[in-house]
Amino acid sequence: MAASVELIQIEPARKTPVAKPEWLKVRAPVGDSYHSLKKLARSLNLHTVCESAHCPNIGECWNHKTATFMMLGNTCTRRCGFCAVPKGRPDPIDFDEPRRVAEAVATLGLKHAVITSVNRDDDIVGGARAFAMVIEEIRHQAPGCQVEVLIPDFQGKEEAIRIVVEARPEMLNHNTESVPRLYRVVRSGARYDRTLRLLEYAKKVDPKAVTKSGVMVGLGEGMHELLQVYRDLANVGTDVLTIGQYLRPSKDHLPMTRYYTPEEFAFLKEEALGMGFRHVESGPLVRSSYHAHEQAASTGVTLIT
């Protein structure tokens, strides 16, 4: 008769969560300005990327009556691994939305409005037309307000890029997000060389255009890879660069590999400035539109009339 063997259940070791560094802790959003802006967005059936992307600066920015409005609905046609914006099949483009965004900008009395959108690969030229329309509407309803647009890549379609550039926003932004090696998992459907070509083409359409791009850190990239991206962006004439810490929106998104220190952000800023950028915003909580009005001021952006 075989001897009985006692089976032992081995529990997998639980990973101890890494505490968030002090420099990444922010206060929960409160205050009259925060609640009034939220109410205004709801009343006009508008979306803000501040909410959709779970931005950590929402309390600070909204209490200063600054926000980034997100057009073309709240459903993206791509599935980028870092992004918290809902994905799926969007509704048809609402071409009255630019008017409502401009109404919100005017109501808030903004001096520098940032407008972005989801990707609309189902209607690329229509998405570009909506950006041109919102620039025109803001100029009409809120004269004196600078307009910054954070645009998708439009799949590299030059007609769409030209439509937006020729509407003459004070600043044209398209985010690079990560290093080429990680593009397949970080930016689904995007191409690194397409991003560079977009920024370069914008300057060809309008040599006076002020261009901007943003890069996240903490996704597994190497320092040497980041610096090469900055060189590539500088080489196509990008004026403004933003560098911020990636924070995982949920367990369903790409994991964060590590926190960068404030000293590392300072190093990246110094290196990037040496490459010829006119302004570099670098820090743990930096997002593409964080301190956007200050970025515009430091690059000498003037109101286009």
Side-chain angles (χ1 to χ4, degrees), residues 68-121:
T68 300
F69 291 98
M70 187 169 71
M71 296 200 313
L72 309 183
N74 194 38
T75 305
C76 189
T77 56
R78 297 188 190 175
R79 296 184 177 274
C80 297
F82 68 92
C83 184
V85 174
K87 287 82 174 171
R89 178 177 293 180
D91 294 327
I93 292 176
D94 175 4
F95 287 104
D96 183 59
E97 188 176 42
R99 180 195 61 78
R100 301 197 307 275
V101 169
E103 182 180 340
V105 169
T107 301
L108 291 168
L110 301 184
K111 296 300 181 184
H112 187 100
V114 183
I115 314 297
T116 189
S117 78
V118 294
N119 280 285
R120 290 300 301 256
D121 293 325

Side-chain angles (χ1 to χ4, degrees), residues 23-258:
W23 60 80
L24 273 169
K25 294 180 180 178
V26 295
R27 294 182 178 180
V30 293
D32 292 340
S33 294
Y34 170 82
H35 292 295
S36 62
L37 198 155
K38 188 169 186 175
K39 184 177 180 181
L40 175 64
R42 296 296 175 276
S43 69
L44 294 173
N45 192 27
L46 299 176
H47 303 285
T48 67
V49 76
C50 320
E51 293 176 288
S52 297
H54 303 175
C55 181
N57 304 310
I58 187 170
E60 177 186 352
C61 293
W62 281 27
N63 277 324
H64 286 93
K65 290 192 175 181
T66 62
T68 300
F69 291 98
M70 187 169 71
M71 296 200 313
L72 309 183
N74 194 38
T75 305
C76 189
T77 56
R78 297 188 190 175
R79 296 184 177 274
C80 297
F82 68 92
C83 184
V85 174
K87 287 82 174 171
R89 178 177 293 180
D91 294 327
I93 292 176
D94 175 4
F95 287 104
D96 183 59
E97 188 176 42
R99 180 195 61 78
R100 301 197 307 275
V101 169
E103 182 180 340
V105 169
T107 301
L108 291 168
L110 301 184
K111 296 300 181 184
H112 187 100
V114 183
I115 314 297
T116 189
S117 78
V118 294
N119 280 285
R120 290 300 301 256
D121 293 325
D122 59 317
D123 190 353
I124 294 170
V125 173
R129 284 178 49 222
F131 270 104
M133 290 170 66
V134 79
I135 294 167
E136 181 181 356
E137 282 285 349
I138 291 173
R139 297 251 164 83
H140 174 68
Q141 295 194 45
C145 178
Q146 294 179 338
V147 184
E148 175 178 336
V149 292
L150 170 54
I151 61 173
D153 65 13
F154 297 128
Q155 292 188 357
K157 194 176 183 70
E158 291 187 351
E159 177 189 359
I161 300 167
R162 179 179 288 274
I163 287 172
V164 179
V165 176
E166 289 184 343
R168 302 179 71 206
E170 274 75 20
M171 189 174 292
L172 184 136
N173 184 359
H174 175 63
N175 283 338
T176 308
E177 305 294 11
S178 190
V179 302
R181 178 174 57 85
L182 300 175
Y183 249 52
R184 182 171 292 182
V185 292
V186 175
R187 294 193 66 193
S188 173
R191 302 290 182 272
Y192 181 71
D193 60 341
R194 185 192 293 165
T195 288
L196 295 178
R197 287 200 308 270
L198 184 156
L199 293 163
E200 185 176 36
Y201 182 68
K203 289 282 191 179
K204 289 181 179 178
V205 174
D206 182 2
K208 294 182 180 179
V210 178
T211 55
K212 171 180 170 182
S213 193
V215 179
M216 299 177 293
V217 300
L219 282 160
E221 69 290 326
M223 190 69 76
H224 67 286
E225 292 179 292
L226 286 173
L227 294 177
Q228 185 56 55
V229 169
Y230 303 161
R231 291 187 197 98
D232 292 343
L233 290 170
N235 287 339
V236 295
T238 309
D239 299 291
V240 178
L241 174 67
T242 61
I243 308 167
Q245 174 74 52
Y246 168 65
L247 297 175
R248 192 181 194 184
S250 78
K251 62 181 178 60
D252 296 322
H253 293 83
L254 290 174
M256 181 190 64
T257 57
R258 75 178 182 93

